[in-house]
Structure formats: structure tokens, C-alpha cells
Amino acid sequence: MTDIRTTIDDWRNRGAHQPWFRRYEWLAIGLVGWIAAAVLFLPPFGKPTPLGAAGVILWYLTGFVLAGVMLTDREKPILLKRATSLSVIVLFFWLFYRYSGTRWDRVQEQFFNFSRMDGVWELYAQGLLVTLQLSIVAAVLSIIFGLTFGILRTLGNPVIDLFLGLHVDIFRALPLIVSMVLIFYALPFLGIRLPAFWAAVLALVLMNSAYQTEIFRAGIESIPRGQIDAARALGLGPGATMRFVILPQAFKIVIPPLTNNLVSLVKDTAVAYVITVPELLTTAQQAVTWKRTPTPLVLSMFVYLATLIPLIHLTRRLERRLDAWNVR
Amino acid sequence: MSAVSDTKAEPMIEARGIHKYFGGSHVLRGIDATIARGEVAALMGSSGSGKSTFLRCLNRIEEPSQGDVLIEGTVITDLRTDVNRVRADIGMVFQEYNLFPHMTVLENVALGLIYVRRRPRSEAQETAADALKRVGLADHVTKHPQQLSGGQQQRVAIARSLAMRPKAILFDEPTSALDPEMVNEVLEVMRTLAEEGMTMVVVSHEIGFLRKAADQLIMLDAGQVVERGPTARVLDEPEHERTREFLRAIR
Amino acid sequence: MRQELIKSRPIPLILMFLVGLGYLLAAPATSGIGIAFDITATVAVFVAFLFLFVPVQIDKGAPLWLQNLSALALLVLATAAFFRWADGDWGRLGYLFFNVEVMSRPGAMARMLSGLWIAVQVFLFSLVLSTLLGMFMAVVRSIVNDALLNFFIDAYVDVFRAVPPIVLLLVTYSALPYSGIVLSPFATGVVALTLIEGAYLTEVFRSGIEAIHRNQVLSARSIGLTAWQAMRLVVLPQSVRIVLPDYSNRLIGLMKRTAETSVIAIAEILKVAQDLQSQFVNATPLVVGALLYMVVLFPMTRFVSRLEKSRPRQ
Ligand SMILES: Nc1ncnc2c1ncn2[C@@H]1O[C@H](COP(=O)(O)OP(=O)(O)O)[C@@H](O)[C@H]1O
Ligand SMILES: [Mg+2]
């Protein structure tokens, strides 16, 4: 970090050729004035007067212009930029605090009321377990089907292509929740009664294997023709060519879209709530009725975050590792 | 099934009236060729004349629409032929090298030995290392293809064919994708092979190399043989107008 | 006709088909142990058939009629298995699932269509808002590129990419009113979907902007354009082409996700269909609802597949 003294000298010297409104002193003063105006003059939430509303809008606009001028110029001292972005963020939250209409006194009591959470954590654990079972079963099955269908689609048999293409088209266009409801609530009319868990698995597999069919197919088709020629010229059969030459290369291409698909599969297990699978969201809703407070629902969101954010970061790390490996 | 017998007079590769259609277009129009054991045959012709297609028909990477290919007197364009055995016995080197990027150089060369010849892994790797030594790449066995220069990659591709101990090797413009200074290292390896008695079919327009190494030259045009004969004769006294034109253009 | 007689074995395939079909057409077991055996045997039939089926399909030399017939055979087996295991009342299939009379009752179709209209409205509102949000975040992130702002933008993106939409919908709908923020269901739906979609679109736009080579920006700056001008005149027009397939994919996902707003009592297609289903005790409204989604989304997915094929190489 630069010494404060030289930083200030820097501002003086480098700003010298700028018009007055771009000089750092004025911008800094403007920023301070902007914050002061917010604290002192902005009207409280409630009945908005025309004057008050105009003031809020004016305040917003000046804020954005100031911050924009300050932040988009790469020559500005880093200290000033940091201060600007900090105040933008602080003021954003402050604005939300003041104008969102939230009754902050009730937030803690309603949303984070840990005293009412007795027994709910155990419920969460059960729910999370079901969510994980659902995710793993559905993920494994859809990879098996997606890979098989993907390979079959590259063979170019028109009959197979017709059916697999239909599968892909239908389940890329049908919302997951609709197919779940159809499977669970409509199929019983036909005498097909699947347990809720397996109805959810079926819907998840139908949709995700459709997406994965296309992912695997694209991966396989992106392998240059010459690779296949070379493998066949060595005398490798179609199966061995697929196994030793095409799939290992397609695998690396397929990983990023595939992990994205799997992450959204895990998220989509929450939809199974509508067909009463006792997964995390369902247990949270049960707890809401049981404890008469929205706290369990709000906290369940954090359970999802705590599960999924690491998962997303893990997949991103994997992708980066693969990238580095591919470039070499 | 390869019929191994004492057949010195029998040609190594024989093509009889090969036709090839791609959809409606008639790409090969009845090509005959005979390549004797230990002979080097060169294929020439302008772009699109069907050289690659013909070459690929010889090991059935491309299926001929009509006509037969015989290897050591055995018809391989036959219902009963195990085409993978045939291909294992005939090497092929491509213009774009087509090395497998996910394997090391050694794994590239050993792949066919392990999964087609069913050799134990350690033995296959020894054979592969030998083949790489023959093309002068003994130091690079653990690298990946992308880490090598174009010339080195093409030599790995040659080693990959060599390691299978093939009866013949087909070369499809092996030096056309190379920078000029790398062409010679590849041609040098090919010359040595020719001198050691390998049967080769080469698509190439490197006149100097062909003059030294090739016994027979076949000139293709629009899917037909327009001229064939001993290399020097065809190069110096071309009989056909089309051949003269072509030779003028590439010189 | 030539063929590579490597692994494709037509005769065993045909035999397997006949045996499998014979088994599947026989009456299913009823007792406990018998059912377990039955399930195993059905799975075994398919595994065995597929073992013979796949080589025939892979073998480029196998005759086309054999390939097509065996594909058809697989379909026949699948159908047989379906009917074997789904011992429903087939006579009532049409009555329950494709019942024109039910849908022609007064108001039924009109309600379905109004559901479609509401779904489209939710879609359009969240689309416009989240596009603006994502665009703004992405541009700020790459032009300003200030570590502190980046941190907050990334945190926003991470959080809302990790939240399942249905969870956020329920939280905003049933929990927020307790804190004094009262929004209509429609507004709640739009806000929740916008927040989630905005996070994804930030990523989409950002990768689009970053895909433009740095030299493009440098040469733009070297002829004296400002950062904003370079962004507006050089980078954004180029990234539109790169971003378009991903963007349209998100757009399809958003349209599909409007169905999830049914859990917060927005009267869109699925909600209406479910209401009608319980009112008429008939599954036809659900089928019609599914068809409505297909009608809207089919052209969109087709269009995107086309876009993806013509995507510029980076
Ligand atoms: N797989 C294919 N499908 C359709 N046409 C092809 C295919 N391969 C080659 N051709 C056509 O066959 C002709 C001969 O091609 P090729 O044998 O590659 O020529 P050369 O190697 O002599 O340049 C060309 O006109 C080419 O367009
Ligand atoms: Mg060629």
C-alpha cells in the first residue's frame, strides 16, 4: 500500500490537468457530502411526499454519477476507489434498511428464533438425508441413461434418433414440477402408484438424462474425426475406440456442463416438496406448522446454502484443474 | 485370417476395380493397383482426385462400394474378414498425425499392442520404446503429444504403426502439415523404413523423396488412374498430358 | 451388402427378443416372493437384450434393416413391460387423460389460457428485470473491477445460484410478511425469480465480456475511447453473439421455472391445472397444462439448439 503522504501528493499532481469536476479533491468532498445528505436529509420510510421522493431520486442519481466517475477511471488512487466502493455498498444496505419497509425489530424474533428450534435440527438432518439420497440416486441413474442415450445418438440410426430426440425435446420443454405432478398425481388414475420418492426420482431422471444426452453427445461429437480414424487404423474395434480414445477425451469436455447439471439436479430435489417427499424443504415446512414460526423455513435456506455453495466451489475448482490440464 | 504362406511372387497389396460413391458422387471409378512385397508405391494427383479415399479403402477405414482388396492374396473386403485384424496388420499415418492427446507418447504407441495384439503391458511398453528409438524419439516417451513439435509428432505416429509390426504402412500426405524445416526428419525416417524393406503406399508430392525411395508411381485424376510406372520414368517422361500439367504445377 | 462380423449377432438378438416378449406377455406374479423374482427377471430381460442390441447398433457394417428392426424391437419390449407393470384401467385412459368434454366445460379452457397469460407475465417481468440486473452487475464487475465491489457481486452470485428457486419463493412468500414487507404473490414471484436469474445472468454476461480478448479493449483504448465507450462500442456488440446461446438457455429455464410459482398461489398454468384436476376429478387439465408448456417452449428449445450449433468458436 502506498504511503498516505505520497498518495495525497499524487492526487494533487495527477489531477492538475483535469477539469475541476474531475479533480480528486472535489470528488472526495462530493462523496462526503453525498453521505452526509443521506444521513441528514433523506425522508424516513412511510408516507412519501413528492418533494421527498424527488430528493431520494436525485440523491440516487448523484450517487451513481459520483461513484461512476470515481470508479471507472483507472488512474484514480486505489485508496479513493476503495473508499468509494465501500460507501456505495454501505449506503446500499443502509438504503435497504431504511426504505424496504422491514420492521427490523421483528426480524430476529421471527426469522432467527433459535429458542423455537428444539427438535427441528433433527428433522433437518432427516430431511437432508432424504435430499442426499434423492440426489445421489437420481444423479447416478441419469448419468447412466444420459451416457447410454448420448452414445446411441452419435450412431446416427434414424429410428433410435427419433425416439431419443423426442425424449430430449419433451423433457427440455416440460418443467420439472409439471412432470413430477403428472407422475405422482395423474398416473395413479391409470393404476400406476409410485411411492413419492421414486416418482421424484423418475421425474428428475427423465429431465436430467435428457439434458445429459445432449451433453454427452456434444462431447463425443466434438472429438475430431481423425482420432477415430487413427484408432480404427490401429485395429481397435468400435467398442475399444469408444472406451480408450473417444470417451477419455470427451470426458474432459463434458465435465463442466455435466457438473453444472448435477448441481442443478441437487437444487431441483427441493421441488419434490410438492409431492410430499420428506426431503429438507418438506421437513422445514412441517416444522413451520409445528412451531408456528417461519424460522425453520428461513434457516432451511441456510442449510441449502451451506450444502450447495461448497459444492459449487468444488465443481469450479475441478473445472479449473481440467482447464489447466487441457492447455498444458 | 491372414494366410501366411511362402508366396514370394504374390503381391502384398492388390486392389481390383475399386469404386467408391459418397451419396451420389462417384469418387473412385475403378482403380486397380498391385504393390509387391517390399515395394514403395507413390500416389499422386491433384486435391480431390481421390488419393486419400483410395488409401483408406486399402485398410477399410473407408468401405469400398465395389471391388476387392487383397492382402497377401486374401480378400479382405469379404463378409467373413475380421477387419480389425486386417487393420492391425496394416499401419496408417495421417496428415494431421492424429495422436491421442490424452495419452503419453509411450501410451500412444503401446495402445494397439495392448488392446489389439493383447500383449502384456510391460512387454508392449518395451516394444513401444523400441519403436520410438527407431524414429529417434527415445527421450520423449513420457511427454504428451502437444509438447512435441510437428515433426516429432509425425514420427510418433510412424512409431505407433511400426510397433504393430505391420505388413505394410499407408502414408497419407505425412509431411503436408509440417513446417518446412521439419519435413526432412520425417522423410528420413520413411527412407530408412523403405530401405529396410517395408512395403509402403505413400501419398506425397515430395519429388526428391519419391525419386530416391519410391519404386512405382501412380497418378490419379478424378478417381481414375491416368498413368503408372517406375518413378523415374513417370517423373522424367510423363506420357499423359494431365501428368505433365500436374508436375509443372507442383514444381 | 458387406458387414463387419465382429460382435453383432442377429440370431441371438431375435431369439432374445422372442423370449423376452413371451415372458413380458405372460401374467405378472402376485405373491411377495414372486414379485421380487418378476422384477429381477424383467430387468434381466432388458439387460440381456441391450447386450445384444448395442453391438448391432454400434457396428457400422450391420445392415440398416437389422438396426432399425432391433430398435423397433426394443420399443416393443419397453411397451410390453409398461403395460405389464401398469395394470391400469386402459378403457378409461382416454376418459381420464384426453377428455375433450371436461376441457369444454364453461370456463375450463379460459382459465387455462389465463394461467398461460399470467405465466408469460411472470416470465416477461422477471426476464426484463433480471437482464438489467445481470447486465449492470457484469459491466460494473469488469469495468470497475474493484476488489471490494467484486467481492459483494460474487457473494450475490454465489448465494443466489445456490438457493433452490422453490425455497426462495416459499421464503419470500411465507416468511417476509412476518417482517412487515407485504407484497402480492405476483410481485413476490417476480422478485424471487429476478434475484435468482439475475445471479445467473451476471455470470453469463461476465463470461461473455471476458471472452472478448484483452487486445480488443487495448486497441479501443489506444484510439482514445474511454472505458465506457470501449465497453459499449467494442466489447458488448461482440459478446452478444457469444452470450446468445447461454442467454437463451437461461430464458428457457426461466419460463420453465415460472411453473414453480404455483406453490405461492400464483394462478399460472400448473396451479390452474391442479385446481381443475381436483374440481373435475380428471387428469385432462394437467395434460393440457403440460401441452401448453410444450407449445410455448418447444419452438424456444429448437431455436436454441440451432443457435448452439452455429456458436462461434472461441
Ligand atoms: N466422407 C466423405 N463424404 C463425402 N464426400 C467425400 C468424403 N470424403 C471425401 N469425399 C469427396 O471425395 C473426393 C475425393 O476426396 P479425397 O480422397 O480426400 O481427395 P484427395 O485426398 O485426393 O485430396 C472429394 O471430392 C471429396 O469431397
Ligand atoms: Mg487427401
Side-chain angles (χ1 to χ4, degrees):
Chain A
M1 190 68 66
T2 341
D3 181 38
I4 297 279
R5 196 61 250 159
T6 45
T7 310
I8 294 175
D9 281 349
D10 236 28
W11 295 3
R12 294 240 176 80
N13 298 335
R14 282 208 295 187
H17 63 282
Q18 302 270 23
W20 67 269
F21 61 89
R22 273 181 167 262
R23 302 262 311 243
Y24 308 126
E25 303 88 299
W26 289 109
L27 282 175
I29 291 172
L31 200 66
V32 173
W34 183 51
I35 298 172
V39 178
L40 295 177
F41 302 123
L42 287 185
F45 180 71
K47 301 156 227 124
T49 60
L51 194 66
V56 173
I57 292 170
L58 191 69
W59 181 80
Y60 250 116
L61 284 179
T62 43
F64 269 122
V65 170
L66 262 175
V69 170
M70 199 78 92
L71 288 171
T72 56
D73 186 343
R74 289 189 193 281
E75 289 178 5
K76 293 270 183 329
I78 185 129
L79 220 62
L80 192 58
K81 286 178 75 167
R82 215 26 70 72
T84 313
S85 47
L86 186 65
S87 38
V88 167
I89 290 162
V90 169
L91 283 170
F92 173 79
F93 283 113
W94 190 79
L95 257 193
F96 184 77
Y97 176 78
R98 185 150 181 177
Y99 290 110
S100 64
T102 313
R103 298 193 39 192
W104 295 101
D105 47 328
R106 297 172 61 177
V107 165
Q108 207 259 321
E109 180 213 328
Q110 293 292 348
F111 292 171
F112 300 97
N113 197 340
F114 291 98
S115 62
R116 298 253 204 116
M117 289 292 283
D118 296 336
V120 176
W121 299 112
E122 288 80 354
L123 261 184
Y124 277 168
Q126 288 167 21
L128 198 58
L129 190 68
V130 175
T131 295
L132 288 184
Q133 284 168 345
L134 197 56
S135 310
I136 290 171
V137 173
V140 169
L141 287 179
S142 40
I143 288 179
I144 291 174
F145 283 108
L147 181 60
T148 315
F149 293 168
I151 293 176
L152 284 178
R153 283 207 84 174
T154 58
L155 302 179
N157 178 308
V159 178
I160 294 187
D161 230 39
L162 183 71
F163 288 110
L164 295 184
L166 210 62
H167 169 235
V168 169
D169 276 343
I170 289 177
F171 287 96
R172 283 207 305 195
L174 197 63
L176 177 69
I177 190 171
V178 174
S179 50
M180 256 188 212
V181 167
L182 265 174
I183 289 171
F184 190 68
Y185 291 113
L187 282 193
F189 282 111
L190 282 183
I192 305 172
R193 269 187 197 79
L194 284 174
F197 182 86
W198 291 102
V201 168
L202 182 59
L204 283 167
V205 169
L206 279 174
M207 185 175 89
N208 287 289
S209 64
Y211 281 105
Q212 289 178 18
T213 301
E214 290 306 279
I215 291 174
F216 282 113
R217 177 167 79 135
I220 291 170
E221 282 177 353
S222 70
I223 305 303
R225 175 79 217 162
Q227 292 288 312
I228 301 168
D229 284 346
R232 303 304 304 270
L234 276 178
L236 294 178
T241 305
M242 188 57 90
R243 208 169 117 210
F244 300 118
V245 176
I246 301 178
L247 286 185
Q249 293 183 61
F251 186 66
K252 282 186 217 159
I253 297 172
V254 155
I255 282 293
L258 185 64
T259 50
N260 273 341
N261 177 271
L262 291 179
V263 167
S264 54
L265 183 148
V266 176
K267 276 195 297 178
D268 280 341
T269 57
V271 174
Y273 152 75
V274 297
I275 58 171
T276 69
V277 176
E279 49 73 66
L280 185 55
L281 180 58
T282 314
T283 54
Q285 288 285 59
Q286 284 165 355
V288 168
T289 341
W290 173 31
K291 299 284 182 180
R292 309 259 178 89
T293 162
T295 302
L297 181 60
V298 174
L299 290 184
S300 78
M301 189 165 83
F302 289 93
V303 178
Y304 274 109
L305 287 181
T307 322
L308 280 156
I309 290 182
L311 192 66
I312 291 175
H313 276 261
L314 209 69
T315 59
R316 211 177 290 162
R317 278 255 293 284
L318 183 71
E319 276 167 35
R320 226 169 270 154
R321 174 99 42 98
L322 277 177
D323 266 358
W325 206 35
N326 279 336
V327 172
R328 229 190 253 279
Chain B
M1 309 293 114
S2 53
V4 183
S5 54
D6 181 50
T7 45
K8 282 278 182 300
E10 198 173 74
M12 177 61 88
I13 302 174
E14 195 181 346
R16 291 181 184 159
I18 304 288
H19 285 263
K20 177 70 189 178
Y21 297 85
F22 282 115
S25 68
H26 197 172
V27 173
L28 299 182
R29 300 161 178 264
I31 297 187
D32 298 301
T34 309
I35 295 115
R37 188 184 301 270
E39 192 187 12
V40 176
L43 283 174
M44 284 175 91
S46 47
S47 172
S49 58
K51 307 178 297 289
S52 301
T53 307
F54 177 62
L55 205 66
R56 293 155 66 90
C57 282
L58 294 184
N59 64 349
R60 283 182 61 190
I61 293 274
E62 209 78 76
E63 205 64 34
S65 315
Q66 195 185 318
D68 284 320
V69 176
L70 287 75
I71 305 287
E72 292 184 319
T74 311
V75 178
I76 63 156
T77 41
D78 182 87
L79 235 90
R80 272 154 235 295
T81 314
D82 179 350
V83 73
N84 293 324
R85 289 280 300 271
V86 172
R87 288 175 183 155
D89 286 345
I90 300 182
M92 186 158 202
V93 175
F94 300 85
Q95 180 177 342
E96 313 80 11
Y97 336 128
N98 293 348
L99 296 178
F100 305 128
H102 59 299
M103 299 176 181
T104 64
V105 164
L106 191 69
E107 285 164 351
N108 260 283
V109 180
L111 181 73
L113 291 170
I114 297 173
Y115 293 107
V116 181
R117 294 275 193 241
R118 307 250 164 231
R119 295 283 153 72
R121 191 170 286 271
S122 57
E123 188 199 318
Q125 289 184 343
E126 265 168 44
T127 316
D130 280 347
L132 283 165
K133 207 178 287 168
R134 280 175 74 185
V135 299
L137 288 173
D139 302 338
H140 301 285
V141 287
T142 55
K143 289 188 181 167
H144 278 254
Q146 305 89 298
Q147 293 168 300
L148 301 180
S149 74
Q152 289 170 326
Q153 290 192 45
Q154 193 60 297
R155 275 146 64 200
V156 174
I158 295 176
R160 184 169 65 179
S161 295
L162 265 187
M164 302 289 285
R165 299 208 196 295
K167 295 173 179 161
I169 304 184
L170 315 174
F171 291 85
D172 190 356
E173 309 204 32
T175 57
S176 326
L178 295 177
D179 289 339
E181 79 259 37
M182 293 168 188
V183 168
N184 277 332
E185 63 184 68
V186 173
L187 292 181
E188 203 49 50
V189 170
M190 288 169 63
R191 270 239 338 257
T192 318
L193 280 182
E195 276 159 18
E196 289 168 6
M198 176 64 73
T199 312
M200 291 162 51
V201 184
V202 185
V203 176
S204 174
H205 296 153
E206 300 284 344
I207 300 290
F209 163 76
L210 293 182
R211 212 182 266 286
K212 279 182 233 154
D215 306 302
Q216 183 190 180
L217 202 153
I218 301 172
M219 175 74 199
L220 288 187
D221 185 45
Q224 276 171 321
V225 177
V226 289
E227 185 162 358
R228 76 173 91 213
T231 311
R233 207 273 296 144
V234 178
L235 286 179
D236 297 332
E237 303 147 26
E239 284 166 3
H240 204 279
E241 175 53 34
R242 190 73 195 83
T243 315
R244 272 193 287 268
E245 217 173 272
F246 179 75
L247 288 173
R248 258 201 311 280
I250 62 168
R251 267 188 185 129
Chain C
M1 197 82 208
R2 295 199 173 102
Q3 54 169 306
E4 303 175 8
L5 280 186
I6 7 142
K7 285 188 203 100
S8 64
R9 303 190 187 88
I11 304 297
L13 184 72
I14 293 167
L15 285 180
M16 189 61 231
F17 169 69
L18 293 177
V19 170
L21 191 63
Y23 176 73
L24 289 175
L25 290 182
T30 43
S31 69
I33 297 289
I35 289 178
F37 171 77
D38 217 13
I39 293 177
T40 322
T42 310
V43 172
V45 162
F46 276 93
V47 170
F49 186 79
L50 280 174
F51 257 95
L52 296 162
F53 169 80
V54 171
V56 168
Q57 296 301 335
I58 290 179
D59 183 1
K60 285 264 190 291
L64 198 62
W65 60 265
L66 180 65
Q67 293 186 337
N68 290 346
L69 269 189
S70 56
L72 221 63
L74 181 62
L75 198 75
V76 170
L77 281 187
T79 318
F82 177 80
F83 278 91
R84 178 191 170 90
W85 289 100
D87 56 342
D89 189 351
W90 300 110
R92 284 164 58 79
L93 180 72
Y95 175 77
L96 287 170
F97 284 83
F98 306 98
N99 193 330
V100 180
E101 187 273 322
V102 162
M103 288 318 290
S104 57
R105 287 183 199 168
M109 208 56 214
R111 276 174 71 187
M112 292 297 300
L113 287 179
S114 80
L116 175 63
W117 173 230
I118 286 180
V120 169
Q121 277 178 307
V122 172
F123 168 69
L124 286 179
F125 272 104
S126 6
L127 176 69
V128 171
L129 292 177
S130 60
T131 303
L132 290 177
L133 185 63
M135 188 78 90
F136 177 74
M137 295 274 193
V139 169
V140 166
R141 203 178 177 303
S142 60
I143 280 198
V144 174
N145 200 13
D146 176 86
L148 203 63
L149 276 182
N150 287 358
F151 174 79
F152 273 91
I153 294 177
D154 290 350
Y156 160 72
V157 169
D158 267 2
V159 167
F160 285 95
R161 285 205 330 173
V163 169
I166 195 168
V167 175
L168 190 66
L169 280 167
L170 283 170
V171 167
T172 44
Y173 177 68
S174 55
L176 277 194
Y178 285 97
S179 77
I181 302 183
V182 186
L183 296 172
S184 70
F186 184 86
T188 311
V190 170
V191 167
L193 290 184
T194 299
L195 284 174
I196 285 179
E197 210 50 34
Y200 277 100
L201 289 182
T202 304
E203 278 296 284
V204 168
F205 291 136
R206 191 172 69 94
S207 66
I209 291 171
E210 281 174 3
I212 303 304
H213 200 270
R214 231 191 116 52
N215 287 347
Q216 289 286 316
V217 182
L218 289 182
S219 53
R221 296 302 296 272
S222 75
I223 59 171
L225 298 184
T226 66
W228 281 107
Q229 284 173 323
M231 176 63 65
R232 190 165 52 84
L233 301 172
V234 178
V235 177
L236 286 185
Q238 293 187 62
S239 31
V240 165
R241 265 175 64 84
I242 294 175
V243 153
L244 205 55
D246 281 340
Y247 181 72
S248 341
N249 260 329
R250 297 303 318 168
L251 195 138
I252 290 172
L254 180 61
M255 183 63 211
K256 287 172 77 172
R257 222 156 300 120
T258 60
E260 287 174 26
T261 59
S262 61
V263 298
I264 59 169
I266 294 183
E268 49 66 71
I269 304 175
L270 182 60
K271 181 82 174 65
V272 173
Q274 279 184 294
D275 289 351
L276 287 178
Q277 182 199 18
S278 39
Q279 186 184 331
F280 297 151
V281 198
N282 189 298
T284 311
L286 272 181
V287 175
V288 172
L291 286 179
L292 281 182
Y293 279 106
M294 307 281 255
V295 167
V296 177
L297 285 162
F298 222 78
M300 279 161 92
T301 53
R302 275 303 163 97
F303 174 69
V304 174
S305 315
R306 184 112 38 94
L307 273 183
E308 274 170 348
K309 274 187 197 123
S310 63
R311 170 183 228 145
R313 295 241 164 251
Q314 291 165 26

